Amino acid sequence: MPTPTPQKVAILGGGVGALSTAIGITNDPDWRKIFSSVTVYQMGWRLGGKGASGRGEFGRIEEHGLHVWMGFYENAFRVIREIYTENDRKPGTPLADWSDAFKRHDYVLLAEQWNKSWRTWPLNFEPNKKTPGAGLGIPSLWRHLIRVMGMLIMVISSAENFDPQGRKRNWLDKLFDWIAAFFFIIIAVVMELGGMIMHFFRKLFGGGKDAAGNRKPQPHYGVHFMVRRLKSWNEKRHGGYLDNDLARHLYMLVDFSLAAIQGVAGEGVLSGVIDFDDLDRYDAAEWLRSHGANDITCNSGLIHGMYDLMFAYVNGDVTKPSFGAGSFLHFAIRMALTFRGAVFWKMQAGMGDTIFGPIYQVLKKRGVEFKFFHCVDQLHVSTDGNNIDSIDINIQATLKNEASGVADTGYDPLVDVNGLPCWPADPRYDQLVEGEALKAEKINLESFWSTWEPVATKTLKRGEHFDIVVLGIPVASHPFICGELIARNGLWKNMVENVQTTRTLAMQLWITPELKALGWNEPSPIIDSYAQPFNTWADMSQLIVREQWPPTSPVNNIAYFCGTMTGGIPP
């Protein structure tokens, strides 16, 4: 076969999706045999999108919200470990290795209101020796179910009886529970095997389908039997003592788990008739309620904490929760049962410094070109409707080296803070012809509402400037830049009209007293499901050493808060 002509790739936007694509394209050392060039067009002066961060006064790290990674982020950790290896920073320099950039965090709290007062629910996840991103397999849903069933039996049978008078259960009580649990398991296994055999013969003889011809789920008699037994056991052991925090938390944890098991078994997820995505037509809390979860559980921090974590509210309105049941369950299983090392990993610098700085440096070495201050204005569709024919770009600022006729070395975006390459919170004005004006007028080139007029415009043309377009700009921006595409493509129109986004807000505090002096005597926390609108708080004091606070302005605690903001994009 003749060698195809290498193609030019234009990547619009510099967020995590766009840059992941650039990494994927250039992972092959021979990528230039397929692509003659890869160019990233980015508005403003930095990469990262919603994950961008910048260094402000005193080198302070200014984030878009709160950024931690979870231990089950297998793809993200795999990529970032490869990036750090390739970036090859000298030993002893800041964040030389990925393990310097991420540290384990096990202590998480859920806030909840009970009897009109705020309580906290501490969850101290037991770390393990696994390494995230190492490519370990994911256990099957059946293995997860067996593990969870075993954990629930241990929780219920081992728990003390929460008697208000403090009566302790004796060894005979506990022995009886374990004997009962053993017989329950034997009965459940026999019933489950019977259901499997019956289902096999039904399929063998052409049965097992409903009137519409859809395959019926396997009847999980043993699973449902165990759910009923454990539910009754949970009510007896904990249900009468819900004013006791520990009893209430154990009750809700068991109640949630049993409702989830009942649902995945009853609706056919466990037997593979449907998958998690098919459950996304239901809201998670309502779905759990329909499978027997108590209202106390569905209104608890355990559930609302997950909604807050994902900003899962229609238009950011916390009175309108919306979290697909399948995504909710899949996420909960992966987060709690498949994490590597720790449930959370805290970054040891800003998201920009930890993630997007190293990615930028590696992609530059690989030959990816970056065009900063290039704001996409419109995408134009070809006459036949099958291609993007041209792209209008607004140039926000002029590079001095370009204006002076010096060889185009591009924009140098990073600054040194304590030996670490970082993105500044503002453009590097000294490299821009319009730098003084931008600084004097305090223009935000990343703002959708900026009044700054472009200094020039240019049009990228298919076949000349690009052959392939990667649109890495979020869907909420598409009505403003993809009008022709939306009008010509029904699928695209459907996506833009139905895929929802949520505005978020954030607050950061740099405080002189340390955490204990502020009244917190527990380990460094991440707290979720607290009062709106800042429902999430994290102690990020590990970042103090990465900043440059003078002795006259001592900082001993850094607090990050975030939550949702009601409303879409204002005029």
Side-chain angles (χ1 to χ4, degrees), residues 108-123:
V108 182
L109 296 101
L110 300 174
E112 59 177 351
Q113 279 193 301
W114 184 258
N115 290 338
K116 298 182 179 180
S117 67
W118 283 102
R119 312 278 184 92
T120 55
W121 179 349
L123 298 170

Side-chain angles (χ1 to χ4, degrees), residues 310-347:
M310 292 295 172
F311 307 108
Y313 301 98
V314 176
N315 212 17
D317 186 346
V318 294
T319 66
K320 298 176 181 177
S322 178
F323 198 158
S327 297
F328 180 98
L329 286 173
H330 196 191
F331 175 76
I333 291 168
R334 292 299 310 278
M335 178 183 73
L337 300 180
T338 70
F339 65 81
R340 317 293 192 198
V343 66
F344 283 107
W345 290 77
K346 272 188 175 179
M347 297 173 197

Side-chain angles (χ1 to χ4, degrees), residues 134-332:
L136 301 175
I138 300 169
S140 69
L141 192 55
W142 266 107
R143 285 183 62 187
H144 286 317
L145 182 141
I146 293 168
R147 181 181 172 191
V148 170
M149 283 285 200
M151 291 165 62
L152 295 180
I153 290 171
M154 290 185 65
V155 165
I156 298 172
S157 61
S158 299
E160 297 293 344
N161 191 338
F162 293 93
D163 190 307
Q165 297 178 357
R167 182 180 70 87
K168 299 293 184 180
R169 299 170 63 234
N170 59 40
W171 66 272
L172 282 173
D173 293 329
K174 297 179 181 180
L175 179 62
F176 176 80
D177 283 344
W178 281 107
I179 293 172
F182 175 76
F183 280 107
F184 287 159
I185 293 169
I186 295 297
I187 295 169
V189 169
V190 172
M191 294 177 71
E192 192 64 29
L193 288 173
M196 291 172 64
I197 293 169
M198 186 180 73
H199 188 65
F200 171 76
F201 280 105
R202 184 189 293 164
K203 287 173 61 179
L204 189 64
F205 294 104
K209 294 185 178 180
D210 59 21
N214 298 316
R215 188 158 61 94
K216 290 181 180 178
Q218 179 181 320
H220 295 291
Y221 298 125
V223 172
H224 294 308
F225 169 78
M226 280 298 292
V227 167
R228 289 195 299 272
R229 296 279 66 77
L230 291 175
K231 192 172 183 65
S232 173
W233 213 354
N234 190 38
E235 291 288 345
K236 178 182 177 182
R237 180 73 70 238
H238 304 128
Y241 310 105
L242 296 182
D243 280 334
N244 180 290
D245 285 352
L246 181 56
R248 184 175 65 259
H249 296 158
L250 292 175
Y251 175 87
M252 291 189 294
L253 187 62
V254 174
D255 190 54
F256 159 69
S257 302
L258 294 177
I261 292 169
Q262 179 83 2
V264 297
E267 299 206 28
V269 180
L270 193 57
S271 52
V273 175
I274 63 173
D275 59 26
F276 282 113
D277 289 347
D278 294 306
L279 298 180
D280 275 341
R281 61 183 182 272
Y282 309 112
D283 176 67
E286 293 305 314
W287 183 84
L288 289 167
R289 192 176 276 112
S290 72
H291 287 286
N294 194 300
D295 283 344
I296 293 173
T297 303
C298 294
N299 294 323
S300 69
L302 182 66
I303 304 302
H304 283 295
M306 297 276 281
Y307 279 76
D308 290 345
L309 190 63
M310 292 295 172
F311 307 108
Y313 301 98
V314 176
N315 212 17
D317 186 346
V318 294
T319 66
K320 298 176 181 177
S322 178
F323 198 158
S327 297
F328 180 98
L329 286 173
H330 196 191
F331 175 76

Side-chain angles (χ1 to χ4, degrees), residues 26 60 75 91 100 116 165-166 337 339 425 449 463 484 487 497 514 517 569:
T26 58
R60 68 184 184 193
N75 293 330
D100 301 322
K116 298 182 179 180
Q165 297 178 357
L337 300 180
F339 65 81
W449 302 273
E484 292 181 21
E497 291 179 351
E514 61 183 18
I569 299 177

Side-chain angles (χ1 to χ4, degrees), residues 413-436:
L414 301 178
V415 296
D416 184 285
V417 181
N418 297 337
L420 185 66
C422 301
W423 304 89
D426 297 298
R428 299 187 67 180
Y429 297 115
D430 59 312
Q431 298 183 43
L432 306 176
V433 173
E434 300 82 12
E436 291 185 11

